[in-house]
Structure formats: structure tokens, C-alpha cells
Amino acid sequence: MNPEIFFVTGKGGVGKSTVAAALAIKKAKSGRKTLLVEIGDQSFYKDFFGLSSVGHEPTMVQENFSVALWTGQSCLREYILHLIKVETLYRLFFENAVMRAFINVAPALPELAIMGKATSGPRNHGPKLPFDCIIIDCYATGHFAAL
């Protein structure tokens, strides 16, 4: 069965992260294996849930409930490694100044990588996520259009 995917967005500073967390906790308490994802470089949920760290790989908060922090770069790296399966090749081709410059200016590449990760299960392409429900705490409304 494909996971339910929820995108939570809104004007910055209105409590969308709190709403996303509440929705994720509710889904987890109902028995759904739930992943709460925040997009960006810094984790709000690290302090919110009193965790030592939140990174790309899910961190369990409680039964049926995990959190993760995704960036376009971390999602792209995971996808490429899933395809080529050799980290040395990844580093050779993608961790050099020329390719980093290309990746940084490629329109919407970070957003495509994030959406690709979130939808890899339903599309049967890329690494699958072992969750029944994925709640994505998205960018503020103005930046959400890129997704």
C-alpha cells in the first residue's frame, strides 16, 4: 500500500510546524507508522521534541513516529547512490566544484529531489520509505510553489 502524503504549508510564522507535528502525532497514535519531514537546513523539531539531532535519516521520537530533515542535496545524494551504488563514483562525479556549481544553478533540482524522495514508493522508483503516512512540513507559501 502506498503511503498517504500530506504537505503542510502556510505563511511563515503562523504555526504550520506545530500543525504538522500535531497531525503526525495524531496519525502515529492511530497506529500509522508516520514520518514527519521538515525541509531545510536547520531543524525546528530537534528542540521541539528534545532530540540530540535530526538528520536525513529518520529519528524515532516514539512508537510509530519518526522525524527527518531533508535538503535537496541530501535527497539527490541518496537517489544517485541508489542508482549507481558506488560511493566513490558519486564523490568523483558529484562532489567536485564544476558539478556543485551546476547543481546549485539547475532550476528546481533541489525541489525535484525532495519530491522524488517523498514519492519514491508510489512511483516504484528509488528508495522506498517504510512509512504509512508522510507529513511534510514545507516552505512558507511563497516558496512552496517551487515544489
Coordinates of all heavy atoms in Angstrom, one line a residue, residues 69-146:
L69 N 15.0 15.5 8.5 CA 15.3 16.8 7.9 C 15.9 16.5 6.6 O 17.0 15.9 6.4 CB 16.3 17.5 8.8 CG 16.8 18.9 8.3 CD1 15.7 19.9 8.3 CD2 17.9 19.4 9.2
W70 N 15.2 16.9 5.5 CA 15.6 16.7 4.2 C 16.1 18.0 3.5 O 15.4 19.0 3.7 CB 14.5 16.1 3.3 CG 14.1 14.7 3.6 CD1 14.7 13.9 4.5 CD2 13.0 14.1 3.1 NE1 14.0 12.7 4.5 CE2 12.9 12.8 3.7 CE3 11.9 14.4 2.2 CZ2 11.9 11.8 3.4 CZ3 11.0 13.5 1.9 CH2 11.0 12.2 2.5
T71 N 17.2 17.9 2.8 CA 17.6 19.0 1.9 C 17.6 18.5 0.5 O 17.6 17.3 0.3 CB 19.0 19.5 2.3 OG1 19.9 18.5 2.0 CG2 19.1 20.0 3.7
G72 N 17.6 19.4 -0.4 CA 17.7 18.9 -1.8 C 18.9 18.1 -2.1 O 18.9 17.1 -2.7
Q73 N 20.0 18.6 -1.5 CA 21.3 17.9 -1.7 C 21.3 16.5 -1.1 O 21.8 15.6 -1.7 CB 22.4 18.8 -1.1 CG 23.8 18.2 -1.2 CD 24.3 18.2 -2.7 OE1 23.9 19.1 -3.4 NE2 25.1 17.3 -3.1
S74 N 20.8 16.4 0.1 CA 20.8 15.0 0.8 C 19.9 14.1 0.0 O 20.2 12.9 -0.1 CB 20.4 15.1 2.2 OG 19.0 15.5 2.4
C75 N 18.8 14.5 -0.5 CA 17.8 13.7 -1.3 C 18.5 13.3 -2.6 O 18.3 12.1 -3.0 CB 16.5 14.4 -1.5 SG 15.6 14.6 0.0
L76 N 19.1 14.2 -3.3 CA 19.8 14.0 -4.5 C 20.9 12.9 -4.3 O 21.0 12.0 -5.1 CB 20.3 15.3 -5.2 CG 21.0 15.1 -6.5 CD1 20.0 14.6 -7.6 CD2 21.6 16.5 -6.9
R77 N 21.7 13.1 -3.3 CA 22.8 12.2 -3.0 C 22.2 10.8 -2.8 O 22.7 9.8 -3.3 CB 23.5 12.7 -1.8 CG 24.7 11.7 -1.4 CD 25.3 12.2 -0.1 NE 26.5 11.5 0.2 CZ 26.5 10.3 0.8 NH1 25.4 9.7 1.1 NH2 27.7 9.7 1.0
E78 N 21.2 10.6 -2.0 CA 20.6 9.3 -1.7 C 20.1 8.7 -3.0 O 20.3 7.5 -3.2 CB 19.5 9.4 -0.7 CG 18.8 8.1 -0.4 CD 17.6 8.2 0.5 OE1 16.8 9.2 0.4 OE2 17.5 7.3 1.3
Y79 N 19.4 9.4 -3.9 CA 18.9 8.9 -5.1 C 20.0 8.4 -6.0 O 19.9 7.4 -6.6 CB 18.0 10.0 -5.8 CG 17.4 9.5 -7.1 CD1 16.5 8.5 -7.1 CD2 17.8 10.0 -8.3 CE1 15.9 8.0 -8.3 CE2 17.3 9.5 -9.5 CZ 16.3 8.5 -9.5 OH 15.8 8.1 -10.6
I80 N 21.0 9.3 -6.2 CA 22.1 8.9 -7.1 C 22.8 7.6 -6.6 O 23.1 6.7 -7.3 CB 23.1 10.1 -7.3 CG1 22.4 11.2 -8.1 CG2 24.4 9.6 -8.0 CD1 23.2 12.5 -8.1
L81 N 23.1 7.6 -5.3 CA 23.7 6.4 -4.7 C 22.8 5.2 -4.8 O 23.3 4.0 -5.0 CB 24.1 6.6 -3.2 CG 25.3 7.5 -3.0 CD1 25.4 7.8 -1.5 CD2 26.5 6.8 -3.5
H82 N 21.5 5.3 -4.8 CA 20.6 4.2 -5.0 C 20.8 3.7 -6.5 O 20.7 2.5 -6.7 CB 19.1 4.7 -4.8 CG 18.1 3.7 -5.2 ND1 17.8 2.6 -4.3 CD2 17.3 3.5 -6.2 CE1 16.9 1.8 -4.9 NE2 16.6 2.4 -6.0
L83 N 21.0 4.6 -7.4 CA 21.1 4.2 -8.8 C 22.5 3.6 -9.1 O 22.6 2.5 -9.7 CB 20.9 5.3 -9.7 CG 19.5 5.9 -9.8 CD1 19.4 7.1 -10.7 CD2 18.5 4.8 -10.2
I84 N 23.6 4.3 -8.7 CA 24.9 3.8 -9.1 C 25.6 2.9 -8.1 O 26.5 2.2 -8.4 CB 25.9 5.0 -9.4 CG1 26.1 5.9 -8.2 CG2 25.3 5.8 -10.6 CD1 27.1 7.0 -8.5
K85 N 25.1 2.9 -6.8 CA 25.5 2.0 -5.8 C 27.0 2.1 -5.4 O 27.5 1.2 -4.6 CB 25.1 0.6 -6.1 CG 23.7 0.5 -6.5 CD 23.1 -0.8 -6.2 CE 21.7 -1.0 -6.6 NZ 20.8 0.0 -6.6
V86 N 27.8 3.0 -5.9 CA 29.2 3.1 -5.6 C 29.5 4.5 -5.1 O 29.5 5.5 -5.9 CB 30.1 2.8 -6.8 CG1 31.6 2.9 -6.5 CG2 29.7 1.4 -7.3
E87 N 29.8 4.7 -3.8 CA 30.0 6.0 -3.2 C 31.2 6.7 -3.9 O 31.2 7.9 -4.0 CB 30.2 5.9 -1.7 CG 30.4 7.3 -1.1 CD 29.6 7.5 0.2 OE1 29.0 6.6 0.7 OE2 29.7 8.6 0.7
T88 N 32.2 6.0 -4.2 CA 33.4 6.6 -4.8 C 33.1 7.2 -6.1 O 33.5 8.4 -6.4 CB 34.5 5.5 -5.1 OG1 34.8 4.8 -3.8 CG2 35.8 6.1 -5.6
L89 N 32.2 6.6 -6.9 CA 31.8 7.2 -8.2 C 30.9 8.5 -7.9 O 31.1 9.5 -8.6 CB 30.9 6.2 -9.0 CG 31.7 5.2 -9.8 CD1 30.8 4.2 -10.5 CD2 32.7 5.8 -10.8
Y90 N 30.1 8.4 -6.9 CA 29.3 9.6 -6.5 C 30.2 10.7 -6.2 O 30.0 11.8 -6.7 CB 28.3 9.3 -5.3 CG 27.7 10.5 -4.8 CD1 26.6 11.1 -5.4 CD2 28.3 11.2 -3.7 CE1 26.1 12.3 -5.0 CE2 27.7 12.4 -3.3 CZ 26.6 12.9 -3.9 OH 26.1 14.1 -3.4
R91 N 31.2 10.5 -5.3 CA 32.1 11.6 -4.9 C 32.9 12.1 -6.1 O 33.0 13.3 -6.3 CB 33.0 11.1 -3.8 CG 32.3 11.0 -2.5 CD 33.3 10.9 -1.3 NE 34.3 9.8 -1.5 CZ 34.2 8.6 -1.0 NH1 33.1 8.3 -0.3 NH2 35.1 7.7 -1.2
L92 N 33.3 11.2 -7.0 CA 34.1 11.6 -8.1 C 33.3 12.6 -9.1 O 33.8 13.6 -9.5 CB 34.6 10.4 -8.9 CG 35.3 10.7 -10.2 CD1 36.7 11.3 -9.9 CD2 35.5 9.4 -11.0
F93 N 32.0 12.2 -9.3 CA 31.3 13.0 -10.3 C 30.4 14.1 -9.7 O 30.1 15.1 -10.4 CB 30.3 12.0 -11.1 CG 31.1 11.2 -12.1 CD1 31.3 9.9 -11.8 CD2 31.5 11.7 -13.3 CE1 32.0 9.1 -12.7 CE2 32.2 11.0 -14.2 CZ 32.5 9.6 -13.9
F94 N 30.0 14.0 -8.4 CA 29.1 14.9 -7.9 C 29.7 15.8 -6.8 O 29.1 16.8 -6.4 CB 27.8 14.2 -7.4 CG 27.0 13.7 -8.5 CD1 27.2 12.4 -8.9 CD2 26.1 14.5 -9.2 CE1 26.4 11.9 -9.9 CE2 25.4 14.0 -10.2 CZ 25.5 12.7 -10.6
E95 N 30.8 15.5 -6.2 CA 31.4 16.3 -5.2 C 32.7 17.0 -5.7 O 33.8 16.9 -5.2 CB 31.7 15.5 -3.9 CG 30.4 15.1 -3.2 CD 30.7 14.4 -1.9 OE1 31.8 14.3 -1.5 OE2 29.7 14.0 -1.3
N96 N 32.5 17.7 -6.8 CA 33.6 18.5 -7.4 C 33.0 19.9 -7.7 O 31.8 20.1 -7.8 CB 34.2 17.8 -8.6 CG 33.3 17.7 -9.7 OD1 32.8 18.7 -10.3 ND2 32.9 16.4 -10.1
A97 N 33.9 20.8 -7.8 CA 33.5 22.2 -8.0 C 32.6 22.5 -9.2 O 31.6 23.2 -9.1 CB 34.7 23.1 -8.0
V98 N 32.9 21.8 -10.3 CA 32.1 22.0 -11.5 C 30.7 21.5 -11.4 O 29.7 22.2 -11.6 CB 32.8 21.4 -12.7 CG1 31.9 21.4 -14.0 CG2 34.1 22.0 -13.0
M99 N 30.6 20.3 -10.9 CA 29.2 19.7 -10.7 C 28.5 20.4 -9.6 O 27.3 20.6 -9.8 CB 29.3 18.2 -10.4 CG 28.0 17.5 -10.4 SD 27.1 17.7 -11.9 CE 27.7 16.4 -12.9
R100 N 29.1 20.8 -8.5 CA 28.4 21.6 -7.5 C 27.8 22.9 -8.0 O 26.7 23.3 -7.7 CB 29.3 21.8 -6.3 CG 29.5 20.6 -5.4 CD 30.3 20.9 -4.2 NE 30.7 19.7 -3.5 CZ 30.2 19.4 -2.3 NH1 29.5 20.2 -1.7 NH2 30.6 18.3 -1.8
A101 N 28.6 23.6 -8.8 CA 28.2 24.8 -9.4 C 27.0 24.5 -10.3 O 26.0 25.3 -10.3 CB 29.3 25.5 -10.2
F102 N 27.0 23.5 -11.1 CA 25.9 23.1 -12.0 C 24.6 22.8 -11.2 O 23.5 23.3 -11.5 CB 26.3 21.9 -12.9 CG 25.1 21.4 -13.7 CD1 24.6 22.1 -14.8 CD2 24.5 20.2 -13.3 CE1 23.5 21.6 -15.5 CE2 23.4 19.7 -14.1 CZ 22.9 20.4 -15.1
I103 N 24.8 22.0 -10.1 CA 23.7 21.6 -9.3 C 23.1 22.8 -8.6 O 21.8 23.0 -8.5 CB 24.1 20.5 -8.2 CG1 24.4 19.2 -9.0 CG2 23.1 20.4 -7.1 CD1 25.0 18.1 -8.1
N104 N 23.9 23.7 -8.2 CA 23.4 24.9 -7.5 C 22.6 25.9 -8.4 O 21.8 26.6 -7.9 CB 24.6 25.7 -6.8 CG 25.1 25.0 -5.6 OD1 24.4 24.2 -5.0 ND2 26.4 25.2 -5.3
V105 N 22.9 25.8 -9.7 CA 22.1 26.7 -10.6 C 21.0 26.0 -11.4 O 20.3 26.7 -12.1 CB 23.1 27.5 -11.5 CG1 24.1 28.4 -10.8 CG2 23.8 26.5 -12.5
A106 N 21.0 24.7 -11.3 CA 19.9 24.0 -12.0 C 18.6 24.3 -11.4 O 18.3 24.1 -10.2 CB 20.2 22.5 -11.9
P107 N 17.7 24.9 -12.2 CA 16.4 25.3 -11.7 C 15.6 24.1 -11.1 O 15.4 23.1 -11.7 CB 15.6 25.9 -12.9 CG 16.6 25.9 -14.0 CD 17.8 25.1 -13.7
A108 N 15.1 24.3 -9.9 CA 14.2 23.4 -9.2 C 14.8 22.0 -8.9 O 14.1 21.1 -8.5 CB 12.9 23.3 -10.0
L109 N 16.1 21.8 -9.1 CA 16.7 20.5 -8.9 C 16.5 20.1 -7.4 O 16.1 18.9 -7.1 CB 18.2 20.4 -9.3 CG 18.8 19.1 -9.2 CD1 18.1 18.0 -10.0 CD2 20.3 19.2 -9.6
P110 N 16.8 20.9 -6.4 CA 16.6 20.5 -5.0 C 15.1 20.1 -4.8 O 14.8 19.1 -4.1 CB 16.9 21.8 -4.2 CG 17.8 22.6 -5.1 CD 17.4 22.3 -6.5
E111 N 14.2 20.9 -5.3 CA 12.7 20.5 -5.1 C 12.4 19.2 -5.8 O 11.6 18.4 -5.2 CB 11.9 21.7 -5.7 CG 11.9 23.0 -4.8 CD 13.1 23.8 -5.2 OE1 13.9 23.5 -6.1 OE2 13.3 24.8 -4.5
L112 N 12.9 19.0 -7.0 CA 12.7 17.7 -7.7 C 13.2 16.5 -6.9 O 12.6 15.5 -6.8 CB 13.3 17.7 -9.1 CG 12.6 18.5 -10.1 CD1 13.4 18.6 -11.4 CD2 11.2 17.9 -10.4
A113 N 14.4 16.7 -6.3 CA 15.0 15.7 -5.5 C 14.1 15.4 -4.2 O 13.9 14.2 -3.9 CB 16.4 16.0 -5.1
I114 N 13.6 16.4 -3.6 CA 12.8 16.2 -2.4 C 11.5 15.5 -2.8 O 11.1 14.6 -2.1 CB 12.5 17.6 -1.7 CG1 13.8 18.1 -1.1 CG2 11.4 17.5 -0.7 CD1 13.8 19.5 -0.6
M115 N 10.8 16.0 -3.8 CA 9.6 15.4 -4.3 C 9.8 13.9 -4.7 O 9.0 13.1 -4.5 CB 9.0 16.2 -5.4 CG 8.4 17.5 -4.9 SD 7.1 17.3 -3.7 CE 5.8 16.6 -4.6
G116 N 11.0 13.7 -5.4 CA 11.3 12.4 -5.8 C 11.4 11.4 -4.6 O 10.9 10.3 -4.7
K117 N 12.0 11.9 -3.6 CA 12.2 11.0 -2.4 C 10.8 10.8 -1.7 O 10.5 9.7 -1.4 CB 13.1 11.7 -1.3 CG 13.2 10.9 -0.1 CD 14.4 11.2 0.7 CE 14.5 10.4 2.0 NZ 14.7 9.0 1.8
A118 N 10.0 11.8 -1.6 CA 8.7 11.7 -1.0 C 7.8 10.7 -1.7 O 7.0 10.0 -1.1 CB 8.0 13.0 -0.8
T119 N 7.9 10.7 -3.0 CA 7.0 9.9 -3.9 C 7.7 8.6 -4.4 O 7.1 8.0 -5.3 CB 6.5 10.7 -5.0 OG1 7.6 11.2 -5.9 CG2 5.7 12.0 -4.5
S120 N 8.8 8.3 -3.9 CA 9.5 7.1 -4.5 C 8.7 5.8 -4.3 O 8.7 5.0 -5.2 CB 10.9 6.9 -3.9 OG 10.8 6.7 -2.5
G121 N 8.0 5.6 -3.2 CA 7.2 4.4 -3.0 C 6.1 4.3 -4.0 O 6.0 3.3 -4.7
P122 N 5.2 5.3 -4.1 CA 4.1 5.3 -5.0 C 4.5 5.1 -6.5 O 3.8 4.5 -7.3 CB 3.3 6.6 -4.8 CG 3.7 7.0 -3.4 CD 5.1 6.5 -3.2
R123 N 5.7 5.7 -6.8 CA 6.1 5.6 -8.2 C 7.0 4.3 -8.5 O 7.3 4.1 -9.6 CB 7.0 6.8 -8.6 CG 6.2 8.1 -8.6 CD 7.1 9.3 -9.0 NE 8.2 9.5 -8.0 CZ 9.5 9.3 -8.3 NH1 9.9 9.0 -9.5 NH2 10.4 9.5 -7.4
N124 N 7.3 3.6 -7.4 CA 8.1 2.4 -7.5 C 9.4 2.7 -8.2 O 9.9 2.0 -9.1 CB 7.4 1.3 -8.3 CG 6.2 0.7 -7.5 OD1 6.3 0.5 -6.3 ND2 5.1 0.5 -8.2
H125 N 10.0 3.8 -7.8 CA 11.3 4.3 -8.4 C 12.1 4.9 -7.3 O 11.7 5.9 -6.7 CB 11.0 5.2 -9.5 CG 12.3 5.5 -10.3 ND1 12.8 4.6 -11.2 CD2 13.1 6.6 -10.3 CE1 13.9 5.2 -11.8 NE2 14.1 6.3 -11.3
G126 N 13.3 4.4 -7.0 CA 14.1 5.0 -6.0 C 13.9 4.3 -4.6 O 13.1 3.3 -4.6
P127 N 14.6 4.7 -3.6 CA 14.5 4.0 -2.3 C 13.1 4.2 -1.7 O 12.6 5.4 -1.6 CB 15.6 4.6 -1.5 CG 16.2 5.8 -2.3 CD 15.6 5.7 -3.6
K128 N 12.5 3.2 -1.3 CA 11.1 3.3 -0.7 C 11.2 3.7 0.8 O 12.2 3.3 1.4 CB 10.4 1.9 -0.8 CG 10.1 1.6 -2.3 CD 9.3 0.3 -2.4 CE 9.3 -0.1 -3.8 NZ 8.4 -0.2 -4.6
L129 N 10.2 4.3 1.2 CA 10.2 4.7 2.6 C 9.2 3.8 3.4 O 8.1 3.6 2.9 CB 9.6 6.2 2.8 CG 10.6 7.2 2.2 CD1 9.9 8.6 2.1 CD2 11.8 7.4 3.0
P130 N 9.6 3.2 4.5 CA 8.8 2.2 5.2 C 7.8 2.9 6.2 O 7.8 2.6 7.3 CB 9.9 1.4 6.0 CG 10.9 2.5 6.3 CD 11.0 3.4 5.1
F131 N 7.0 3.8 5.6 CA 6.0 4.5 6.4 C 4.6 4.5 5.8 O 4.5 4.4 4.6 CB 6.5 6.0 6.6 CG 7.7 6.1 7.4 CD1 9.0 6.2 6.8 CD2 7.7 6.1 8.8 CE1 10.1 6.3 7.5 CE2 8.8 6.2 9.6 CZ 10.1 6.3 8.9
D132 N 3.6 4.5 6.6 CA 2.2 4.5 6.1 C 1.8 5.9 5.8 O 0.8 6.1 5.1 CB 1.3 3.9 7.2 CG 1.6 2.5 7.6 OD1 2.0 1.7 6.7 OD2 1.6 2.2 8.8
C133 N 2.4 6.9 6.5 CA 2.0 8.3 6.4 C 3.2 9.2 6.5 O 4.1 9.0 7.3 CB 1.1 8.6 7.6 SG 0.4 10.2 7.5
I134 N 3.3 10.1 5.5 CA 4.4 11.1 5.5 C 3.8 12.5 5.5 O 3.0 12.8 4.7 CB 5.3 10.9 4.2 CG1 5.8 9.5 4.1 CG2 6.4 11.9 4.2 CD1 6.4 9.1 2.8
I135 N 4.2 13.2 6.6 CA 3.8 14.6 6.7 C 5.0 15.5 6.4 O 6.0 15.3 7.1 CB 3.4 14.9 8.2 CG1 2.5 13.8 8.8 CG2 2.8 16.3 8.3 CD1 1.1 13.7 8.3
I136 N 4.9 16.3 5.4 CA 6.0 17.2 5.0 C 5.7 18.6 5.4 O 4.8 19.2 5.0 CB 6.3 17.1 3.5 CG1 6.6 15.6 3.1 CG2 7.4 18.0 3.1 CD1 6.8 15.4 1.7
D137 N 6.5 19.1 6.4 CA 6.5 20.5 6.8 C 7.2 21.3 5.8 O 8.4 21.4 5.8 CB 7.1 20.6 8.2 CG 7.0 22.0 8.8 OD1 6.5 22.9 8.1 OD2 7.5 22.2 9.9
C138 N 6.5 21.9 4.9 CA 7.0 22.6 3.7 C 7.5 24.0 4.0 O 7.3 24.6 5.1 CB 6.0 22.6 2.6 SG 5.6 21.0 2.0
Y139 N 8.0 24.6 2.9 CA 8.4 26.0 2.9 C 7.1 26.9 3.2 O 6.0 26.4 3.0 CB 9.0 26.4 1.6 CG 10.1 25.5 1.1 CD1 10.0 24.9 -0.1 CD2 11.3 25.4 1.8 CE1 11.0 24.1 -0.6 CE2 12.3 24.7 1.3 CZ 12.2 24.0 0.1 OH 13.2 23.2 -0.4
A140 N 7.4 28.1 3.5 CA 6.3 29.1 3.5 C 5.6 29.2 2.1 O 6.2 28.8 1.1 CB 6.8 30.4 4.0
T141 N 4.4 29.6 2.1 CA 3.5 29.6 0.9 C 4.2 30.1 -0.3 O 4.2 29.5 -1.4 CB 2.2 30.3 1.2 OG1 1.6 29.8 2.3 CG2 1.3 30.2 0.0
G142 N 4.9 31.2 -0.2 CA 5.5 31.8 -1.4 C 6.6 31.0 -2.0 O 6.8 31.0 -3.2
H143 N 7.3 30.2 -1.2 CA 8.4 29.3 -1.7 C 7.9 28.0 -2.0 O 8.5 27.2 -2.7 CB 9.5 29.2 -0.7 CG 10.1 30.6 -0.4 ND1 11.0 31.2 -1.1 CD2 9.9 31.4 0.7 CE1 11.4 32.3 -0.6 NE2 10.7 32.5 0.5
F144 N 6.7 27.6 -1.5 CA 6.1 26.3 -1.7 C 5.8 26.0 -3.2 O 5.8 24.9 -3.6 CB 4.8 26.1 -0.9 CG 4.2 24.8 -1.1 CD1 4.7 23.6 -0.5 CD2 3.0 24.7 -1.7 CE1 4.1 22.4 -0.7 CE2 2.3 23.5 -1.9 CZ 2.9 22.3 -1.4
A145 N 5.5 27.0 -4.0 CA 5.1 26.9 -5.4 C 6.2 26.1 -6.1 O 5.9 25.4 -7.1 CB 4.9 28.2 -6.0
A146 N 7.5 26.2 -5.7 CA 8.6 25.5 -6.4 C 8.4 24.0 -6.3 O 8.8 23.3 -7.2 CB 9.9 26.0 -5.8

